[in-house]
Amino acid sequence: MNLEDVKVGAKVMIRDLKGKEEVIRRVEAMGLRRGRSVEVLQKLGRTILLKLNNSRIVISKDIARNIYVE
Amino acid sequence: MKSEEKNIKVALVGNPNVGKTSLLNHLAGTTLRVGNWPGVTVEKKEGKTFYNGYTIYFIDLPGIYTLEPLSEDEYIAYRFLTEEPPDMILNVIETPNMERDLFLTAELLELGIPMVLVLNMIDEAQKLGVDVDTERLEELLGLKVVKTNGRTGVGIKDILTAIVETYEKKITPKEIRYSEDLERLLTSLRESVKETKQQLIKKLLAHKEYLHEIERLYGKPAQQVIRENRFAFAHGLYNEVVKRKPITSTDITTLLDRFLLHPYIGTVVFFLIMFILFKVSFDFSKPFMDWLDGFLNDFVSPALGLALIELGMPDLVLRFFSEAVIGGVGFVLTFTPLIAVIYLLLSFLEFTGYLPRIAFLMDRVMHRLGLHGKSLIPLLLGFGCNVPAIVATRTMESKRDKLLVIAMIPFMSCPARLVVFSFFAITFFKNPALVIFSLYILGIVIALITAITLRKTILRGSLEHFVMELPPYRLPTLRLLFGVVWVYLKDFLYRAGTLIFAVSILIWLSMNLPPGVEKPEDSIAGKVGKALIPIFEPIGIKDWRVSTSLIPAFLAREIVLSSMATIYLAEGTKKKEEFSLSESAKEQLFGLLSATKEAFYSLINPLPRTFEVSEEYSNLRSVVSKSMDELSALSFMIFILIYTSCLGTISVMWREAGKKFALGFLIYSFLMAWLSAFIVYKVGSML
Ligand SMILES: Nc1nc2c(ncn2[C@@H]2O[C@H](COP(=O)(O)OP(=O)(O)OP(=O)(O)O)[C@@H](O)[C@H]2O)c(=O)[nH]1
Ligand SMILES: [Mg+2]
C-alpha cells in the first residue's frame, strides 16, 4: 500500500521510499524515514498532512504515491 | 601591554524554524525577523556580543534540513559553511524533534568544525514528555550541550559560557563511527590526518571502484548507504539519551487544527480572520488618527506659528513650517496608528503559526494557477511589505515559481497604499471600508491575471512536488510582539523624518520657484505637473497638483500624500483663529482620552465603524475634495494600487530577479495601472 491510499486518522509504518533522488533526500531529512510510523491527519485537494513524532509535514500526493507503507 | 584580539566566529546552524534567530536576538541584542514558520531567515545576518574578554561574532543562517541544498536560501547556508568555515558551529536543535534534527548534526560533525549543541524549545519538550540526558549526550559526542528557551531567553548565558569553554579548551567533537565496511573504505582513502570525514566521503563518492564495492557489500547505491548510516547514528543517539515519559493531555495544536484545517470550517474561519484583521486595523486606529490630525492642525501648527512669530521670523519661514513640515511630514505621521495596528496584527499572525496553514488550506486555489500552496507565504507577506516578501521567494526551489510569485507580490496592497487609500476613501466615499476592501481584491485579481498570462507565455513549465513543515501553534511574548512592531514603526518614522522630509522641502521649493512666482501653476512644480496632464487626463486626473505629487511618489507611495498636502497647503489661504496654548492643550488631552475610549469600544462592536463617516473634514480633505470627484479619486487609487510606485520594491526585484525583469515589470505595472484606471473611469463616467 502507498501513503496516498491511507485513510485519514490511520497510523502506518514506512517501508520504502521511491521516486526522484532529490525528493527522497528532502523528505527523509524531514523525518519520513524507513521504519518510522506516521499518522495521516488530513487530506486536502492535492496534499496530505502527516504527523510524525512531534512534527507535522505537508506533502503532495505525487510524493505520497511513492512512499510505501504498511 | 598590547591587548590581543580575541575573536570567535560562531555560525548558528539548524533545521528551519528551530529558533536560531530568536536565540541570536537574545545573544546579541539584535532585532532580526523571527516568525513561526520555516523559511523566515533567507539571508546571512550577523550580530556580535562581548563575553569574558572575547568578541563573539554570530552568523545567523537560513534553516536547512541537509547539507545537500536545493533552494537559494539553503545554498546560502551551505556555501557559508563549506567556503568560509566559522570557528565554531552552534547547532540549534528543536528538542521535541531531536531525532530528525540529529541527521543534520551528523552531517555537520563530518565537517570537523568545533561545535556546541543547543537543545532549544526545552519548554515544549517538557510538555511533550521528552527528557534529554545532557551529560550522556556530552559524553557520547564529546562536546558541550546547552538547554535553552529561545522564546524567553532562558539558558542564553550558558551558551556563551559553553562557546568560550569550547574555544579555550579546544574541545573537538568525537568522530562519528559509521558501519564497519564503510569506515574501512573511508580510512583507506585517508592521505593526511587533517582530512575531515566530509572530505573522505567526497573522495569515496568520486571513486568508481569503491562505489561498486559498496553496492556489492550493501546491495544499495553508496549515496543511500551513507545516508542510512547517518540516520542510524541519529536514531541510535536519540534512543540512548532521550527518555520519553507518557503524557495524557491532548496537544493544543492537534485540537486547533481539527477546526482550522478542516476543508470547510477552516475556509470559513480563514475569511473570518481576514475580516477581523481588516476591521480591527481600521476601527482601532481611526480614532487615534483623527485625534493626531486635529492635534497637529489645531495645536502644534498654531503653537509653532505663535512661537515663530514671537521669534520674529519672516513670513516665508512661517509658511515653510506650516506647509512643508507640518503639512507634508506631519500629515504622513498622522497615519502612524494605522501602521502600528496593522503590523501588530500581521506579526501576531506570523508568530502563531497560522501563516503556513493558510498555505495548506489554499493549496487547491494556488494549484489552479500552477503554483504550490507554499508560494502563498511570500504573497501573504506582501500585505505587510512587498520588499521582504520578494526576498522570501528565495525558499522556492524552482526558478519559474520564484519569478511567477515575484511578479504577483507587488499587487498585494501594502500598508503604504492603505495609508493613501484611507485618505481618499474617507474623503470621497460614504462607504470607505467597502472601497478599500474592493481595492485589495482588485490587487489580487491583477496578480492572478499576471500569473496566468505569464504561465501561458514566458514562464511555462509544470509543477514540482511539494513538501512543507507545519509548526505547532505558538504564542509570542508581548515583548517580542511589540519589539517587532517597533522595528516597523521606527522604519516608518525614519522614512518620514528623512526621505519624506527631504521630498517635502523639494516640493515646497519648487512651488516657490522661480523666485517671486505669483500663481502656483506658474511655478516649476506647476509646469512639470501640467506637462504630465496629457498622460493622466484620460484616467480622470486633470489637476496638475495631483500629477505633480505622483513624481516623487515613486520613492514610496505615501509620499503622494505628503506632496499633495504640501502643494495644496502652499496654495490655500489660511484663516486666522484665536489660539490659547493652555486651553488648547487641555482640549487635546481630553480628545486623546475619548479617542482611546472610542478605539477600545470599537473592538466589541462587530460591524466596521469605518462604514460611518464623520462629518468634519480636516483642512486638506476639504480642498482636495473640491479638486477631484468620486470617480477620479477612485481611478487615482486604482492607479496607485497597481503601478509599482516604490523604489524599494523595484530595487529588490532587480537584485532577486534581474534588471530586465525589474524594468520590464515596472513598465508592465504602469500600463496595467493606467489601463485599469482608464476602464474604471470611462465605465464610471457612462453610468
Ligand atoms: N515555545 C518556544 N518557542 C520558541 C523557542 N525558541 C523559538 N521559539 C519560537 O519559534 C519560532 C521560530 O523562531 P525563529 O527564531 O524564527 O526560528 P529560526 O530557526 O530562525 O527559523 P528560520 O529562520 O525560518 O530557519 C518563533 O515563533 C519563536 O518565537 C523556545 O525555546 N520555546
Ligand atoms: Mg531565522
Side-chain angles (χ1 to χ4, degrees):
Chain A
M1 189 167 58
N2 68 40
L3 195 52
E4 195 191 356
D5 303 329
V6 178
K7 288 211 176 62
V8 172
K11 247 190 173 160
V12 289
M13 168 97 85
I14 300 180
R15 275 281 142 243
D16 201 10
L17 298 105
K18 294 240 156 60
K20 264 170 59 185
E21 172 82 14
E22 72 175 36
V23 180
I24 298 179
R25 257 196 266 148
R26 168 55 48 97
V27 295
E28 279 187 346
M30 290 174 87
L32 283 170
R33 300 169 191 168
R34 281 177 193 81
R36 296 283 288 272
S37 79
V38 292
E39 185 185 343
V40 176
L41 286 183
Q42 184 75 260
K43 287 184 178 178
L44 200 59
R46 173 182 79 95
T47 52
I48 298 181
L49 173 63
L50 305 170
K51 179 154 195 275
L52 30 104
N53 206 350
N54 290 321
S55 69
R56 290 172 180 77
I57 296 178
V58 178
I59 58 173
S60 50
K61 284 188 175 159
D62 56 321
I63 299 178
R65 213 167 294 143
N66 282 318
I67 299 177
Y68 296 91
V69 296
E70 64 188 33
Chain B
M1 200 177 85
K2 223 178 89 183
S3 74
E4 226 178 299
E5 283 265 346
K6 298 211 286 186
N7 294 336
I8 314 177
K9 201 168 90 177
V10 182
L12 287 124
V13 191
N15 285 14
N17 205 43
V18 297
K20 300 176 292 298
T21 310
S22 301
L23 289 173
L24 177 59
N25 284 345
H26 282 295
L27 284 165
T30 45
T31 49
L32 296 169
R33 192 181 176 118
V34 170
N36 191 17
W37 40 283
V40 180
T41 308
V42 288
E43 289 172 290
K44 201 174 85 187
K45 295 273 173 161
E46 285 172 33
K48 71 172 175 191
T49 192
F50 306 98
Y51 186 75
N52 257 4
Y54 287 93
T55 309
I56 308 178
Y57 291 91
F58 289 101
I59 297 105
D60 187 20
L61 295 168
I64 45 174
Y65 288 107
T66 65
L67 283 181
E68 291 154 323
L70 291 175
S71 58
E72 217 172 311
D73 59 327
E74 292 171 332
Y75 270 104
I76 291 170
Y78 173 75
R79 255 187 257 125
F80 179 80
L81 286 173
T82 49
E83 284 167 21
E84 35 185 327
D87 298 322
M88 203 178 298
I89 288 176
L90 203 62
N91 181 199
V92 185
I93 281 180
E94 180 180 348
T95 315
N97 285 308
M98 191 162 160
E99 181 174 350
R100 179 200 70 190
D101 292 28
L102 282 174
F103 173 75
L104 179 67
T105 308
E107 286 189 312
L108 293 173
L109 287 170
E110 287 169 10
L111 294 174
I113 301 172
M115 183 192 282
V116 169
L117 205 63
V118 179
L119 299 179
N120 194 35
M121 308 215 172
I122 208 71
D123 53 325
E124 291 185 355
Q126 237 152 31
K127 274 192 206 122
L128 292 163
V130 177
D131 188 25
V132 186
D133 182 349
T134 9
E135 270 155 42
R136 183 90 183 104
L137 188 58
E138 287 188 336
E139 187 189 314
L140 287 169
L141 293 178
L143 43 68
K144 301 247 62 162
V145 177
V146 184
K147 286 183 176 175
T148 59
N149 180 338
R151 189 170 165 268
T152 57
V154 170
I156 290 300
K157 188 88 177 293
D158 301 339
I159 296 183
L160 294 172
T161 324
I163 289 174
V164 170
E165 191 181 332
T166 304
Y167 189 77
E168 283 181 343
K169 295 194 184 151
K170 299 201 167 44
I171 300 176
T172 39
K174 288 184 188 155
E175 204 189 309
I176 310 177
R177 307 284 305 169
Y178 291 140
S179 62
E180 222 169 285
D181 289 314
L182 186 60
E183 284 296 336
R184 180 173 51 80
L185 294 177
L186 286 174
T187 319
S188 72
L189 284 167
R190 186 182 285 283
E191 285 159 45
S192 98
V193 281
K194 274 200 177 149
E195 276 176 314
T196 63
K197 197 148 207 139
Q198 187 229 11
Q199 285 164 331
L200 294 179
I201 290 176
K202 223 170 167 182
K203 267 197 203 166
L204 179 101
L205 289 174
H207 200 295
K208 273 254 170 62
E209 272 170 48
Y210 278 15
L211 290 181
H212 285 305
E213 171 90 8
I214 290 181
E215 276 225 55
R216 198 180 53 77
L217 283 167
Y218 294 90
K220 293 173 200 167
Q223 288 265 13
Q224 193 180 336
V225 171
I226 293 167
R227 221 163 48 223
E228 281 176 3
N229 266 288
R230 291 177 185 142
F231 292 140
F233 160 83
H235 190 68
L237 191 61
Y238 177 81
N239 283 337
E240 185 79 30
V241 300
V242 174
K243 286 189 284 292
R244 304 206 54 160
K245 283 177 266 170
I247 40 157
T248 43
S249 62
T250 9
D251 174 25
I252 183 93
T253 302
T254 312
L255 210 67
L256 273 174
D257 273 348
R258 222 167 273 161
F259 297 101
L260 294 180
L261 294 185
H262 187 277
Y264 307 113
I265 305 173
T267 314
V268 172
V269 173
F270 167 69
F271 284 108
L272 201 69
I273 289 177
M274 290 299 128
F275 172 78
I276 292 172
L277 208 77
F278 198 72
K279 178 195 164 319
V280 172
S281 47
F282 260 101
D283 288 353
F284 193 77
S285 57
K286 184 145 186 307
F288 292 110
M289 292 201 291
D290 290 343
W291 174 79
L292 259 179
D293 195 39
F295 178 69
L296 218 65
N297 286 309
D298 306 335
F299 184 74
V300 178
S301 181
L304 191 71
L306 216 64
L308 288 172
I309 290 171
E310 288 284 311
L311 288 172
M313 290 290 168
D315 189 46
L316 201 66
V317 176
L318 247 91
R319 277 188 44 215
F320 171 75
F321 271 97
S322 82
E323 291 160 11
V325 181
I326 307 240
V329 179
F331 184 55
V332 168
L333 286 183
T334 57
F335 292 94
T336 315
L338 180 61
I339 301 279
V341 175
I342 202 157
Y343 277 123
L344 186 77
L345 295 175
L346 287 176
S347 305
F348 185 74
L349 216 59
E350 277 189 44
F351 276 122
T352 52
Y354 187 59
L355 201 64
R357 285 178 166 80
I358 304 178
F360 173 67
L361 267 178
M362 293 289 142
D363 182 69
R364 286 168 296 179
V365 182
M366 295 307 283
H367 192 203
R368 298 242 171 83
L369 292 174
L371 282 171
H372 288 313
K374 206 168 148 187
S375 8
L376 204 68
I377 293 180
L379 287 173
L380 289 168
L381 291 178
F383 288 112
C385 177
N386 291 177
V387 175
I390 290 175
V391 186
T393 59
R394 286 189 182 177
T395 56
M396 307 181 89
E397 285 161 32
S398 113
K399 179 91 183 167
R400 179 199 83 116
D401 291 8
K402 180 178 163 152
L403 291 179
L404 212 52
V405 174
I406 291 183
M408 292 172 80
I409 289 171
F411 300 116
M412 302 298 123
S413 188
C414 55
R417 267 169 269 194
L418 185 60
V419 162
V420 179
F421 298 161
S422 78
F423 173 76
F424 281 96
I426 292 173
T427 308
F428 287 96
F429 294 90
K430 291 224 170 53
N431 220 334
L434 193 66
V435 172
I436 294 172
F437 185 72
S438 316
L439 285 166
Y440 270 75
I441 299 292
L442 178 67
I444 295 171
V445 171
I446 300 281
L448 295 184
I449 294 174
T450 307
I452 292 168
T453 319
L454 281 176
R455 203 163 74 88
K456 295 248 155 87
T457 54
I458 48 177
L459 292 177
R460 279 170 214 264
S462 63
L463 208 53
E464 288 178 25
H465 60 272
F466 165 36
V467 214
M468 181 177 70
E469 199 188 331
L470 292 187
Y473 290 104
R474 294 189 170 116
L475 274 181
T477 54
L478 277 183
R479 201 176 132 217
L480 205 59
L481 195 59
F482 285 105
V484 174
V485 174
W486 175 235
V487 170
Y488 281 114
L489 265 191
K490 228 171 38 191
D491 187 55
F492 179 73
L493 296 177
Y494 178 79
R495 239 189 2 246
T498 52
L499 191 67
I500 298 180
F501 185 49
V503 169
S504 296
I505 293 177
L506 278 181
I507 293 271
W508 187 81
L509 281 178
S510 67
M511 285 288 295
N512 289 288
L513 285 176
V517 55
E518 296 261 299
K519 278 189 286 180
E521 57 223 73
D522 294 332
S523 67
I524 295 181
K527 287 200 176 121
V528 173
K530 272 195 282 185
L532 288 176
I533 287 296
I535 305 176
F536 293 110
E537 191 151 18
I539 64 171
I541 299 168
K542 301 177 179 113
D543 195 320
W544 64 268
R545 291 169 296 194
V546 183
S547 57
T548 306
S549 328
L550 275 173
I551 303 171
F554 179 64
L555 296 173
R557 283 183 176 92
E558 64 264 36
I559 291 183
V560 97
L561 285 187
S562 61
S563 304
M564 275 176 76
T566 307
I567 295 175
Y568 277 98
L569 289 179
E571 226 194 21
T573 46
K574 267 182 299 285
K575 36 185 180 345
K576 283 260 179 294
E577 274 171 36
E578 287 299 308
F579 178 72
S580 139
L581 195 65
S582 62
E583 221 153 273
S584 254
K586 222 186 286 166
E587 232 168 72
Q588 291 303 327
L589 192 67
F590 280 122
L592 180 59
L593 287 177
S594 81
T596 313
K597 205 177 86 195
E598 201 183 321
F600 280 98
Y601 178 71
S602 81
L603 292 181
I604 48 170
N605 187 351
L607 274 182
R609 280 261 308 148
T610 328
F611 281 126
E612 307 150 27
V613 178
S614 61
E615 288 304 316
E616 5 155 5
Y617 280 158
S618 67
N619 232 340
L620 182 66
R621 282 192 205 287
S622 56
V623 247
V624 173
S625 67
K626 274 181 211 122
S627 79
M628 281 172 122
D629 57 14
E630 265 179 35
L631 200 56
S632 55
L634 183 64
S635 143
F636 182 71
M637 283 190 281
I638 291 176
F639 185 79
I640 284 285
L641 165 75
I642 302 172
Y643 167 47
T644 313
S645 177
C646 173
L647 186 62
T649 303
I650 293 297
S651 51
V652 75
M653 227 181 206
W654 189 307
R655 194 183 75 196
E656 298 292 318
K659 177 171 129 186
K660 267 214 307 242
F661 189 93
L663 294 180
F665 185 84
L666 186 61
I667 296 169
Y668 167 77
S669 78
F670 185 90
L671 293 177
M672 280 302 261
W674 193 91
L675 212 64
S676 316
F678 180 75
I679 294 170
V680 168
Y681 188 67
K682 281 292 164 237
V683 172
S685 314
M686 280 187 294
L687 296 178

